[in-house]
Amino acid sequence: MSDHTPINWIRLVYDFRHRIQKRLSQIGLPDYTVLTIFSVLTGIVAGIAAVTFHEAVELVHYLSFEYLPEKINGSGGVWIIFIPVLGMLLQSLMRYMAPVTARKRGVMEVIKSVAMRGGHIPFRTTLFHFLAPVICIGTGGTVGPEGPIAQLGGGMASKMGSLFGLPESRRRMLTAAGSGAAIAAVFNTPLGGIFFALEVILLNDFRSPTFSALILASVAASAISRVFLGNTPTFIFDSVSIGPYQHLYLYAVLGIAAGLVSLIYLRYSQIIAHFFKQHVHRWLPLWAAMALVGLLVGLCGYFYPDIFGVG
């Protein structure tokens, strides 16, 4: 009985997709209307995925830094140093079990899928890079949620496009929209999600239908986020004043300085990655190197707890 179950599930999915396609063709909706419907659906799916990611991180963080230390010695204390180590060991196990999937991470993977694979992201990749960042951030890893969230939103949108049998061009568009919509949901910034998808994922490939899809998806995702996570933006500025016009050149100076700092940071990250690849991994297995990094994070977090996770 179990040998036939996967085949039955596949048949059910294909039958469902065929019925949806047939029903849409019978209705005879204009292309723009169909695009509007799928853009809103993409935003809803990406919004739910972003909320799920946020709540999953909060749950793992609670279990790691409140529930588990309290059960061990009633107050946490020095035990919190080893929580990032545990998270790193779990992630090293995941990398050992799926080394190819583990390398397909971050925003760059979404850009590749949109530019080279018609917006196709395997669901296995989406699921893997949902669980791994949840474990990493929840156990104190000092990484941001932007990359995982963008990949999660794009992956869910890609899967939805495949499920409904959408053509490659439309799936590409919705994958980018889903990525931006997830960013909009987790930071409660619809405009930020729109321009993230347009400038980063689509590399400024501006087209009117694409821009409409980005707007609809980001607004829908942000609405879902506000229902479950509240109506407060992540970054709040009480008052904004640009100052006198003779000081406007300072904004240009700030932009150039920020760009230079970004380049330095990227170069620094490449040097550290090269050092680990060429030197550390030669005499230290992957799991041990990751555990060592987790221990360093735990030691720093013991004295400065705000660095844990997205603190």
Side-chain angles (χ1 to χ4, degrees):
M1 184 68 180
S2 60
D3 294 338
H4 300 286
T5 302
I7 299 177
N8 291 337
W9 276 109
I10 293 174
R11 186 181 296 115
L12 287 173
V13 171
Y14 276 99
D15 289 345
F16 173 75
R17 185 173 71 178
H18 178 72
R19 287 197 298 269
I20 292 295
Q21 291 174 337
K22 185 178 180 180
R23 183 63 60 87
L24 289 176
S25 63
Q26 290 175 348
I27 296 175
L29 295 174
D31 286 342
Y32 186 78
T33 303
V34 175
L35 176 63
T36 299
I37 293 173
F38 278 108
S39 298
V40 174
L41 285 177
T42 297
I44 293 173
V45 170
I48 293 174
V51 170
T52 303
F53 181 87
H54 179 274
E55 294 300 321
V57 169
E58 291 294 323
L59 175 61
V60 175
H61 188 274
Y62 166 75
L63 294 175
S64 300
F65 291 96
E66 296 183 33
Y67 180 81
L68 185 60
E70 184 178 347
K71 289 296 183 181
I72 293 176
N73 65 351
S75 61
V78 74
W79 289 103
I80 65 171
I81 294 175
F82 300 99
I83 291 174
V85 177
L86 177 61
M88 285 294 186
L89 290 175
L90 291 174
Q91 292 171 81
S92 68
L93 178 61
M94 294 178 67
R95 290 193 58 172
Y96 175 78
M97 296 175 63
V100 177
T101 304
R103 289 194 291 267
K104 299 178 180 180
R105 65 182 183 274
V107 176
M108 186 56 65
E109 183 62 24
V110 183
I111 296 174
K112 289 180 181 178
S113 70
V114 170
M116 303 168 57
R117 298 194 293 270
H120 175 68
I121 301 177
F123 185 70
R124 177 183 298 179
T125 301
T126 303
L127 182 60
F128 183 96
H129 291 289
F130 168 79
L131 296 175
V134 164
I135 294 173
C136 181
I137 300 173
T139 55
T142 55
V143 297
E146 299 86 359
I149 280 291
Q151 189 169 10
L152 176 62
M156 295 301 295
S158 174
K159 188 61 181 178
M160 188 188 73
S162 300
L163 183 63
F164 286 101
L166 298 181
E168 184 176 290
S169 59
R170 189 158 290 174
R171 186 175 61 192
R172 172 181 176 271
M173 184 188 307
L174 293 180
T175 299
S179 184
I183 292 291
V186 78
F187 290 107
N188 198 2
T189 53
L191 284 177
I194 293 169
F195 286 103
F196 172 84
L198 182 63
E199 296 180 1
V200 178
I201 305 299
L202 293 174
L203 304 177
N204 285 314
D205 182 13
F206 181 85
R207 299 176 187 176
S208 181
T210 302
F211 195 62
S212 300
L214 298 182
I215 293 174
L216 291 169
S218 294
V219 171
S222 184
I224 293 294
S225 173
R226 293 183 183 193
V227 170
F228 292 99
L229 302 180
N231 196 23
T232 304
T234 302
F235 303 104
I236 301 175
F237 301 93
D238 294 330
S239 61
V240 179
S241 176
I242 63 173
Y245 292 115
Q246 60 266 30
H247 291 166
L248 288 181
Y249 74 93
L250 293 174
Y251 293 99
V253 174
L254 176 63
I256 295 172
L260 292 175
V261 171
S262 299
L263 291 175
I264 293 172
Y265 177 78
L266 289 173
R267 183 57 179 164
Y268 160 76
S269 299
Q270 293 171 356
I271 291 173
I272 294 298
H274 178 76
F275 173 77
F276 268 81
K277 184 177 181 180
Q278 297 296 325
H279 301 285
V280 176
H281 289 164
R282 287 188 175 182
W283 56 272
L284 203 62
L286 178 63
W287 66 267
M290 293 181 67
L292 178 61
V293 171
L295 182 61
L296 292 175
V297 172
L299 287 170
C300 294
Y302 179 76
F303 297 100
Y304 303 98
D306 288 342
I307 73 166
F308 282 137
V310 290

